[in-house]
Amino acid sequence: YYAWYATPEVDGHWEHWNHEILLHEGERPRYQPPAEIGANLYPEGGPYSSRDPVTIDRHCRELKRAGCGVLVVSWWGPQDGGDAALPALFAAAARHGLEIAFHIEPFRGRDAASTREALAALLARWGENAALHRRDGRPVCYVYDSYLTKPHEWARLLTPGSDLTIRGTDLDAFVIGLWVQAGDGAALAAGGFDGFYTYFATDGFTHGSTSANWPELAAFAQEHDMLFVPCVGPGYSDLRIRPWNPANQRSREDGGYYDRQWQAALDVAAKVVGVTTYNEWHEGTQIEPARAYASPDFVYETYAPREPEWYLDRTRHWVTQLEARSALSASCVARAPCGPR
């Protein structure tokens, strides 16, 4: 969940809707919302502020409709706009029976020590909040681009007895790193991570986001007692901000792409599935409702022939399948032995 959008009406300025066009060289022009936004699709209600309580409440209603349980909220530090959205997000999540986990981005100067400080700051504010998502009794944090920090540095934070350890302290958390390249599993385990996720919605973009590799990742997780969180997406479309990136575009195929991603996650018996994303409009991975819209210079994509809310309801369909398989698995464990001998 991205809480980084701003509008003049609420925030006094545009943010992210006016995304730069990321050219390889030369000037980096910005879009002029609301007529033009840095995305290939257009929100059903138009550009919005992530600090608007009405918008936040609508988002939580839609996430509940979709069967989602947790908003993994992008967090760039205490000075970021996403941090300012947290009070309203926690309040709305509690009203709608949702929970919040933190998606710790590579903020300036992020290393083991500054990540510890970030955890301390976040838990000082939200550690006692009933809407904070926990696993095994510990708050859950995802660390995006965790590979940017060496495993021995993460081990200072995430292994018992090390100089910066959070293990066994009031800051202990269930920390999930990002699997990108083929060898990342060993680095994540050495760093002391409790699990790993794949994030990217483009099947084939990285080793981790390639669904054909998920059986390998699931086996590694089981062998090392880690949680594997495969991430599924409805498609990928970012040419409005990265016009040089056609190789990574993935058509929604009228929902067929999303269905295949979900089926691949269920096929490896995933306990938790991440959806990339609810509202990352720049990369066209959102399941938030979109509508037809055209400016003088561009006709925005739509979900047609699907309805604007189709991806919310299709997510609910797959969450129901996930829950049914999880219930069956739990039943088998409770009644062991179960299945063929």
Side-chain angles (χ1 to χ4, degrees):
Y1 181 89
Y2 287 87
W4 58 15
Y5 299 106
T7 65
E9 293 79 7
V10 176
D11 310 282
H13 63 280
W14 289 108
E15 191 169 349
H16 276 273
W17 300 115
N18 61 337
H19 202 296
E20 294 176 333
I21 304 173
L22 303 175
L23 305 176
H24 280 308
E25 56 185 81
E27 66 176 11
R28 298 158 73 93
R30 284 185 174 271
Y31 289 101
Q32 300 297 316
E36 297 278 354
I37 63 172
N40 284 56
L41 298 100
Y42 201 86
E44 186 176 43
Y48 52 77
S49 167
S50 294
R51 266 69 69 192
D52 175 24
V54 174
T55 294
I56 291 172
D57 195 74
R58 173 176 61 80
H59 286 176
C60 287
R61 288 199 311 272
E62 290 177 354
L63 286 159
K64 192 68 176 179
R65 170 176 173 169
C68 298
V70 181
L71 290 73
V72 184
V73 179
S74 175
W75 189 83
W76 286 89
Q79 307 306 317
D80 181 65
D83 186 76
L86 288 177
L89 275 170
F90 268 98
R95 286 197 303 272
H96 292 280
L98 299 166
E99 296 181 342
I100 289 176
F102 300 112
H103 193 240
I104 299 179
E105 305 281 0
F107 57 82
R108 185 183 297 274
R110 190 188 73 183
D111 57 13
S114 61
T115 301
R116 195 181 200 281
E117 293 173 359
L119 278 171
L122 287 167
L123 295 181
R125 293 172 65 198
W126 307 112
E128 300 301 318
N129 195 290
L132 182 66
H133 179 55
R134 294 176 179 271
R135 188 174 184 87
D136 300 338
R138 294 177 287 160
V140 174
C141 295
Y142 290 73
V143 181
Y144 184 69
D145 277 358
S146 51
Y147 66 88
L148 294 175
T149 300
K150 298 297 183 184
H152 71 268
E153 181 75 4
W154 286 124
R156 297 176 64 199
L157 182 71
L158 301 177
T159 58
S162 54
D163 62 327
L164 294 175
T165 190
I166 61 172
R167 300 309 185 196
T169 75
D170 291 342
L171 301 181
D172 205 349
F174 195 97
V175 185
I176 300 171
L178 180 65
W179 186 311
V180 179
Q181 302 300 333
D184 282 358
L188 290 159
F193 286 93
D194 299 288
F196 50 86
Y197 72 124
T198 61
Y199 184 77
F200 300 104
T202 297
D203 196 345
F205 176 56
T206 68
H207 186 87
S209 70
T210 301
S211 59
N213 296 330
W214 288 355
E216 167 204 333
L217 273 63
F220 184 95
Q222 184 172 14
E223 180 182 353
H224 292 82
D225 193 26
M226 300 173 76
L227 177 69
F228 171 38
V229 184
C231 294
V232 303
Y236 188 91
S237 184
D238 74 346
L239 294 180
R240 290 278 280 174
I241 64 168
R242 301 185 186 99
W244 40 265
N245 195 32
N248 286 313
Q249 307 305 294
R250 297 293 184 271
S251 168
R252 291 183 176 238
E253 301 174 26
D254 299 339
Y257 182 88
Y258 198 42
D259 283 351
R260 286 199 307 278
Q261 292 257 292
W262 265 103
Q263 187 62 59
L266 266 60
D267 286 347
V268 295
K271 296 181 176 66
V272 177
V273 177
V275 175
T276 305
T277 60
Y278 171 73
N279 65 337
E280 217 293 17
W281 288 89
H282 309 314
E283 297 181 345
T285 60
Q286 78 288 335
I287 63 169
E288 186 181 4
R291 67 176 171 90
Y293 181 77
S295 72
D297 300 317
F298 187 75
V299 177
Y300 289 79
E301 300 171 25
T302 70
Y303 301 157
R306 305 300 188 182
E307 296 299 316
E309 294 79 18
W310 189 84
Y311 285 96
L312 299 177
D313 296 334
R314 197 60 177 171
T315 302
R316 164 69 74 172
H317 164 82
W318 285 109
V319 168
T320 300
Q321 304 301 309
L322 174 67
E323 290 174 341
R325 292 197 181 197
S326 296
L328 178 60
S329 175
S331 175
C332 285
V333 171
R335 296 186 292 106
C338 182
R341 289 172 171 246

